[in-house]
């Protein structure tokens, strides 16, 4: 079967592409997804992410290789395996990043990607609570809600504590004054997840020129010389082949997009040779430049009631569930990460270099596919941080020539002086804010790491032992001008290959300072524009209506 465009992966980016490319009715579009539909109620509920966190039905549940600088630990790397991708299983915090993140993308040889260039695409994504402003959009498909109205009272204590410690407080972390303590925004509509699947793809599903195939695993891209011509896939072992008239677009995410390229013979020749894969196009940068945010939590026992008290008992859980069902309000309508913000670990920093999360509860997610949020058995809360722009670089590498075998993920965490320094700097920032009068007033004790952990060495040891990924893998097929060090050009076309583009978090040249879903959706909106512009410039291959595929 032949389509104008084949999109691989119905994740945060893929769902937006499928909608935008099929919108005019002029192009036939096939969207392929290894996972199933996002029909369960739990995909709608913000706290539903606990149900999918360790659930292999909806989650690839990857682990990194042992990390030498993290005492040999393997980092858990959940990835969505369902329509909507990681955007269907994430914690829904909506943070665009800082303007200089994108200015650095442009500086890395990518014209058109500076903050001023990408701002219109962020605005296009959003229906923002602030309405239509220079910084925000009011007509986008993704609803952005502030948690200001419903955040737990001790989040206000956190804001006051940060102010007393000398830091700014901002009313809009996604606005021009992005520095300081803030209540976070959520991509939610009336208390329900506002994902790219629900908002872009679902309404487009009835289009005759869009076909969505779920439970189909793409195995490799097919080529005719240096042109991508289609893909090979399978469903329950049955082989499938689809041809692309215009383009194959990889949107399988920062782990699986480079893996698919390598399985297709596009990558480092020595790696391909090791796994018996013929070189289609030598490209050492595939799978390099992997980045992530590493976060560590400080746990506190409170002298006041926290969300632990509301959600610990069965009766408390039932009350919160009933409130949610009746009004779509209350703690179940919000993220666990209600406040935090961007901070400078040192006044000399040019930009905020640490992101904080203040959660009005302390909890664990039991390692089970039936897990729900389990608050600690005392009145507690936690404060965590991650460095915004780590400089360590990791890699994604295939481990065999079979798509069934997970790729090796190496984050190479803490392998630069800057990253080691910020691991300690962030810990001290937490202690400084916690030492404010406001926060001392609600704190009984620091449970972990605890008062004995004071020296730089001890704080670093705590980070090495306890930090984890906050699931922001990106950069593994970076955008850039040089084919020796990057994978796609500034129009997201794979260097040296026709008809092959990448549109997902793997194209980020550098990680953004905040959470990744917003910038990934921005990349998809901009990528869709570029694909459609290129189609207009080359109408020779346009579909005739007869070629549009019946669903
Ligand atoms: C648990 C968790 C919490 C998070 N919390 C937040 C948050 O609060 N805020 C935030 O901004 N970000 C958060 N993120 C990160 C954010 O959701 C991701 O960075 C973003 O969704 C990535 O989008 P993507 O399009 O690049 O990839 P994905 O959304 O992961 O999409 C890739 C898709 O490709 C499919 N696929 C992969 N391989 C194949 C194949 N061979 N064949 C067919 N299909 C394939 C996958 O099944 C998936 O559906 C979180 C992520 C996770 C996992």
């Amino acid at each position: 079967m032949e389509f104008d465009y084949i999109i691989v992966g119905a994740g945060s980016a893929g769902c937006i592409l499928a909608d935008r490319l099929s919108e005019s009715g002029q192009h036939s579009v096939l969207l392929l997804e290894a996972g199933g539909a996002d029909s369960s109620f739990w995909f709608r509920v913000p706290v539903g992410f606990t149900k999918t966190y360790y659930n292999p039905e909806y989650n690839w549940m990857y682990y990194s290789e042992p990390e030498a600088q993290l005492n040999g630990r393997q980092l858990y790397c959940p990835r969505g395996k369902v329509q909507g991708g990681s955007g269907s299983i994430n914690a829904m915090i909506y943070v665009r990043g800082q303007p200089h993140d994108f200015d650095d993308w442009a500086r890395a040889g990518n014209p058109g990607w500076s903050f001023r260039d990408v701002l219109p695409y962020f605005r296009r994504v959003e229906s923002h609570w602030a309405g239509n402003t220079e910084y925000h959009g009011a007509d986008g498909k993704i609803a952005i809600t502030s948690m200001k109205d419903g955040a737990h009272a001790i989040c206000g204590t956190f804001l006051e504590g940060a102010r007393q410690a000398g830091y700014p407080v901002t009313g809009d972390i996604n606005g021009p004054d992005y520095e300081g303590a803030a209540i976070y925004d959520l991509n939610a509509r009336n208390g329900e997840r506002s994902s790219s699947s629900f908002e872009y793809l679902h309404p487009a599903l009835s289009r005759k020129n869009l076909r969505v195939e779920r439970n189909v695993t793409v195995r490799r891209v097919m080529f005719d010389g240096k042109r991508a011509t289609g893909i090979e896939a399978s469903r329950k072992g049955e082989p499938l082949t689809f041809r692309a008239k215009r383009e194959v677009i990889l949107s399988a995410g920062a782990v699986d997009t480079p893996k698919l390229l390598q399985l297709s013979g596009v990558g480092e020749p020595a790696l391909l040779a090791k796994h018996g894969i013929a070189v289609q196009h030598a490209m050492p940068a595939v799978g390099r430049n992997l980045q992530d945010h590493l976060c560590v939590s400080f746990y506190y026992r409170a002298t006041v009631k926290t969300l632990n008290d509301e959600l610990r008992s069965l009766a408390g859980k039932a009350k919160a569930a009933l409130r949610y069902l009746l009004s779509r309000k209350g703690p179940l309508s919000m993220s666990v990460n209600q406040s935090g913000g961007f901070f400078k670990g040192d006044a000399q920093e040019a930009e905020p270099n640490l992101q904080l999360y203040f959660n009005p509860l302390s909890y664990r997610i039991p390692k089970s596919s039936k897990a729900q949020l389990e608050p600690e058995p005392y009145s507690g809360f936690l404060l965590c941080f991650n460095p915004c722009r780590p400089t360590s670089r990791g890699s994604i590498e295939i481990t065999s020539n079979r798509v069934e075998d997970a790729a090796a993920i190496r984050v190479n965490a803490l392998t630069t002086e800057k990253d080691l320094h910020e691991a300690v700097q962030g810990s001290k920032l937490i202690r400084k804010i916690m030492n404010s009068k406001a926060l001392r007033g609600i704190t009984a004790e620091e449970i972990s790491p605890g008062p004995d952990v004071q020296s730089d060495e001890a704080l670093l040891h705590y980070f090495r032992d306890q930090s984890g990924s906050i699931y922001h893998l990106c950069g593994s097929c970076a955008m850039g001008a040089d084919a020796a060090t990057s994978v796609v050009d500034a129009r997201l076309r794979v260097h040296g290959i026709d008809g092959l583009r990448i549109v997902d978090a793997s194209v980020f040249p550098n990680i953004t300072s905040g959470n990744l879903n917003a910038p990934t959706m921005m990349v998809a909106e901009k990528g869709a524009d570029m694909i459609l512009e290129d189609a207009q410039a080359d109408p020779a291959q346009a579909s005739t209506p007869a070629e549009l595929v019946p669903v």
Side-chain angles (χ1 to χ4, degrees), residues 8-14 32-35 49 52-53 59-60 62 77-95 187 216-219 251-254 256-257 259-260 335 337 357 403 470-474 503-506 514-521:
V8 178
S12 293
L32 297 171
E33 168 55 45
F49 87 94
T52 51
Y53 192 76
N59 192 329
W60 293 94
Y62 295 140
C77 302
R79 300 276 91 195
K81 184 187 183 184
V82 60
Q83 186 175 307
S86 301
S88 287
I89 67 162
N90 73 12
M92 295 169 54
I93 296 295
Y94 184 85
V95 179
N187 50 290
V216 167
T217 303
V218 172
R219 311 184 73 81
S251 299
D256 286 307
T257 286
K259 174 181 162 184
L260 278 174
S335 179
N337 307 305
Y357 298 91
V403 76
I470 50 164
Y471 332 125
H472 293 168
L473 294 162
C474 65
V503 183
D504 62 22
S506 59
N515 312 60
L516 248 62
N517 204 29
T520 304
M521 293 192 289

Side-chain angles (χ1 to χ4, degrees), residues 265-279 281-285 288:
V266 179
E268 163 67 58
L271 174 71
L272 304 184
K274 187 172 155 193
H275 298 293
I277 296 171
V279 177
H281 188 70
M283 193 173 255
R288 301 269 173 263

